[in-house]
Amino acid sequence: VATIVAAVIVCTIFLWLERREITTAWGDVRRGIWMAVTRAGLLHIDGAPDPRNWRPHLLVLSGAPTKRWHLIELASALTHNRGLLSVCTVLSTDRVTPDRRYGMEDTIREYLLQRGVPSLVRVVNASDPFIGAEQLISAYGLGSVVPNTVLVGDSETAKRRSEYCAMIAGFHRAQRNVLIVHDAPGRGVGERRRIDVWWGGLNQNGGLMMILAHLLRSSGEWRDAEVVLKMALPSDTAAAGVRENLTDLVARSRMGVHCDVLVTNGRPFDDVLRESSAGADLVMIGIAEPDHDFDRYYEKLRRRASGLPTTMFVLAAEDVAFGEVLVERAQAA
């Protein structure tokens, strides 16, 4: 009886304090406590990150959230209870006042909370949106807590595509992983039942794609989605050994992934890709590091994605051995 009475008294006091929102000369008490906890946490995790504890801390360049909601939705599924999510907008003007930017941030933050997506929000302005995005990526963060992955939509304006490609190359130089989402018009991510990962080996891109696919299918929206590891080879002879290696990799990963080794028999890879992944809800394809001819290479990627379901181009840039991270997680499981 005494325990119940004490619990009732404590709850009553707590509710009374909540209603009063007690403040001091230094501000809200609860805010001060959270600031102290945040400071202690930042100081403790400062330094080189441990690859075994890698998590995606995503920065989404969404523009107006209502226009590119699929980017935020996908980023939220990847970071859900695992990493930090920042939704950012770069205004293509340098005439916006700070008060207006803060007001826009509050509006976006409220909209995201209404849609069930808690995140950090940042609105910046720059005379050039692509240069502004690079500056944002290089400056955004606190201590060692910085976004390690940038998620952007595909380039829609042909005459500014060269600047877009230069921005992607800038993200890569800053050692940020880049996820470029090519949205399938009118389809989105379908029923979230199948993810096709096109395999090029357990290198940086391959390991990162496997981790991202695993994180997606661990989220509520993609739960129990089938992950299919796909690879196209020119002949049955070449496919035999690779099929065995992939089967072994899938077994060691313990992620419930299926493998599908395809023989092209002289057919163009793009034809095999479209035919094999026509029924997927999301397709992941690794891309090469940007070089002097990245503009032309990116145009080829866009043509490749034409006719596919929603496609995510993945470019790993962090100094992290994602293949080892994948093996470590499999062993821990």
Side-chain angles (χ1 to χ4, degrees):
V1 172
T3 302
I4 295 174
V5 172
V8 170
I9 293 173
V10 169
C11 290
T12 302
I13 294 173
F14 174 77
L15 294 173
W16 176 67
L17 293 175
E18 282 284 302
R19 290 178 63 87
R20 286 193 59 187
E21 296 183 350
I22 291 182
T23 59
T24 68
W26 302 279
D28 187 270
V29 174
R30 291 164 300 175
R31 184 180 178 86
I33 293 173
W34 280 117
M35 285 296 295
V37 172
T38 301
R39 177 184 178 276
L42 286 171
L43 293 175
H44 275 84
I45 65 175
D46 199 16
D50 185 352
R52 292 173 297 179
N53 296 323
W54 186 88
R55 294 291 186 274
H57 299 309
L58 276 165
L59 187 150
V60 185
L61 290 169
S62 64
T66 54
K67 293 183 179 180
R68 285 189 165 182
W69 179 252
H70 63 284
L71 298 180
I72 299 174
E73 194 173 37
L74 194 55
S76 177
L78 285 168
T79 58
H80 184 63
N81 294 330
R82 298 174 188 85
L84 294 173
L85 171 61
S86 298
V87 176
C88 300
T89 298
V90 180
L91 303 175
S92 56
T93 177
D94 53 4
R95 299 180 180 178
V96 178
T97 63
D99 287 343
R100 185 182 173 192
R101 283 194 288 107
Y102 298 150
M104 294 175 68
E105 288 177 356
D106 289 340
T107 301
I108 293 173
R109 191 178 295 111
E110 182 178 353
Y111 176 76
L112 293 174
L113 288 175
Q114 289 175 352
R115 300 291 297 266
V117 181
S119 69
L120 304 174
V121 178
R122 178 62 58 87
V123 176
V124 299
N125 51 298
S127 56
D128 183 277
F130 299 106
I131 295 177
E134 288 190 59
Q135 293 173 342
L136 171 65
I137 295 302
S138 65
Y140 185 78
L142 187 60
S144 60
V145 181
V146 298
N148 54 28
T149 306
V150 183
L151 190 149
V152 296
D154 189 16
S155 170
E156 297 176 354
T157 306
K159 64 181 181 180
R160 303 209 67 180
R161 194 154 293 143
S162 179
E163 297 164 272
Y164 176 89
C165 290
M167 179 187 70
I168 299 299
F171 294 163
H172 183 265
R173 287 193 301 271
Q175 294 190 331
R176 302 297 194 270
N177 309 311
V178 184
L179 311 179
I180 303 173
V181 180
H182 181 90
D183 188 38
R187 179 170 176 174
V189 290
E191 298 180 354
R192 301 177 178 83
R193 293 297 181 186
R194 186 177 125 197
I195 303 169
D196 282 2
V197 178
W198 283 88
W199 191 248
L202 193 58
N203 48 26
Q204 289 293 84
N205 288 343
L208 179 57
M209 287 193 294
M210 287 285 285
I211 293 171
L212 293 175
H214 172 67
L215 291 173
L216 269 182
R217 73 190 299 256
S218 300
S219 67
E221 301 87 346
W222 291 84
R223 188 166 301 280
D224 299 325
E226 180 185 22
V227 178
V228 184
L229 198 62
K230 290 178 174 286
M231 191 171 188
L233 292 166
S235 65
D236 289 313
T237 304
V242 172
R243 187 176 287 110
E244 183 178 347
N245 291 336
L246 279 183
T247 301
D248 179 63
L249 173 67
V250 166
R252 287 189 293 114
S253 71
R254 302 179 186 178
M255 293 182 179
V257 178
H258 304 283
C259 62
D260 185 14
V261 178
L262 307 166
V263 179
T264 61
N265 288 323
R267 290 195 300 160
F269 170 74
D270 288 0
D271 292 348
V272 176
L273 169 66
R274 292 190 184 96
E275 179 182 327
S276 179
S277 289
D281 296 302
L282 179 66
V283 180
M284 292 188 183
I285 301 175
I287 62 177
E289 294 184 4
D291 58 12
H292 66 281
D293 203 23
F294 186 64
D295 292 17
R296 184 179 300 178
Y297 174 76
Y298 186 71
E299 289 293 345
K300 180 180 178 182
L301 288 177
R302 297 190 80 254
R303 290 194 298 270
R304 176 168 290 170
S306 177
L308 281 175
T310 294
T311 302
M312 179 189 290
F313 295 117
V314 178
L315 174 60
E318 270 188 288
D319 187 18
V320 174
F322 289 108
E324 295 180 11
V325 175
L326 186 64
V327 173
E328 289 275 358
R329 294 194 176 190
Q331 291 175 347

